[in-house]
């Protein structure tokens, strides 16, 4: 299903998801520019229409223009998709804001990243709104849900949520992204959609770790279900709708990230469970493991809000305080008995 009219769209980030999302948008009929910092990757996209370091067997739409020039990428764009690591978004967004202030166009800002900023504990929509003044941008929309790039590249049926405080902005993103294998739903619950997308990465590290330790399906189901409860508790504390966590950006994303070897967070946890040191894993992964910095931010945020998140806390202690995995599991199982539903 091609769009009814061609739009100039910009994707910031030439990793796996950025490359695949740019390809989807181009095949939907839009004029797409993708920005990245690595000159070799950008040259490969322009010359061969591939990005083999991040996503094998993807032939990108030949109309996509790739650049290392941020000004060239964002000038004249109707929408800018941020598909870069969470911890880099503020610095890039501030540069984008300065360019937009000079250029005068007011693009929609769309976050397709998932995480919480360390230090500030801000969600990505907050980072964008602080870094790019409303006078030089359109509305902010969050695009989230179960969407491994490897599967989208194969045209696997994929469903996502577009969340915005402005229903019309969410519907606009729904219109430009949706096609015959991608179905987009809208939501007004920006807080819930963002927190679900961020916290599921932390839980996925735990899911990988218990697999690496040799635990079975019962344990994995317990971790995912109780992890979902923690996501919902944190979300409700910050005003999210608890039903959001039963949807695509909560349960849906949690399932795919906790059960697939395509998940870098799962792979990180699996290697931890097999005894590899965290720093060695991060040095050799080849991609950012968003769940690691997000676990620190989630620890700080839940402490600040006085929300009980024992699984996330256990994962934080393994990652940042070098607590042995089995000790953390034993401590979780030794906690005082509680009712299942408790907000």
């Amino acid at each position: 299903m091609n769009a009814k009219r061609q739009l100039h769209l910009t994707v910031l980030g030439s990793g796996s998801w950025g490359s695949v999302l740019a390809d989807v948008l181009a095949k939907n009929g839009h004029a797409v520019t993708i920005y990245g910092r690595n000159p070799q990757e950008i040259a490969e996209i322009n010359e061969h229409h591939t990005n083999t370091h991040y996503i094998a067997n993807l032939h990108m739409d030949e109309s996509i223009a790739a650049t290392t020039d941020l000004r060239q990428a964002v000038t004249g764009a109707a929408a800018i998709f941020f598909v870069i690591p969470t911890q880099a978004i503020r610095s890039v967004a501030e540069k984008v804001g300065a360019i937009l202030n000079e250029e005068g166009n007011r693009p929609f800002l769309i976050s397709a990243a998932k995480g919480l900023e360390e230090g500030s504990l801000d969600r990505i929509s907050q980072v964008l709104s602080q870094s790019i003044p409303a006078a030089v941008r359109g509305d902010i929309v969050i695009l989230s849900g179960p969407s491994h790039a490897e599967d989208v590249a194969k045209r696997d049926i994929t469903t996502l949520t577009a969340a915005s405080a402005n229903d019309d902005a969410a519907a606009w993103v729904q219109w430009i992204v949706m096609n015959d294998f991608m179905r987009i739903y809208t939501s007004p619950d920006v807080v819930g959609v963002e927190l679900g997308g961020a916290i599921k990465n932390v839980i996925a590290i735990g899911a990988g770790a218990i697999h690496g330790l040799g635990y079975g399906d019962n344990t994995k189901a317990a971790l995912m279900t109780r992890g979902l409860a923690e996501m919902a508790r944190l979300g409700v504390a910050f005003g999210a709708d608890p039903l959001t966590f039963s949807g695509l950006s909560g349960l849906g994303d949690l399932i795919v990230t906790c059960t697939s070897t395509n998940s870098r967070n799962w792979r990180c946890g699996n290697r931890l469970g097999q005894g590899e040191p965290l720093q060695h894993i991060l040095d050799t992964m080849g991609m950012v493991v968003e769940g690691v910095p997000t676990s620190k931010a989630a620890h700080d945020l839940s402490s600040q809000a006085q929300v009980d998140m024992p699984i996330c806390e256990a994962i934080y202690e393994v990652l940042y305080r070098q607590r042995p995995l089995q000790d953390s599991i034993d401590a979780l199982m030794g906690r005082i008995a509680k009712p299942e539903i408790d907000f």
Side-chain angles (χ1 to χ4, degrees), residues 26-42:
K27 286 184 168 64
N28 280 0
H30 302 296
V32 178
T33 300
I34 186 168
Y35 164 83
R37 296 189 304 170
N38 186 310
Q40 288 74 34
E41 289 172 9
I42 295 305

Side-chain angles (χ1 to χ4, degrees), residues 189-226:
D189 187 7
V190 173
V191 174
V193 168
E194 286 192 285
L195 287 179
I199 303 303
K200 61 90 184 178
N201 284 331
V202 181
I203 304 300
I205 293 176
I210 60 174
H211 183 272
L213 286 168
Y215 285 92
D217 293 340
N218 289 358
T219 310
K220 295 169 190 174
L223 179 88
M224 292 169 62
T225 307
R226 297 310 302 161

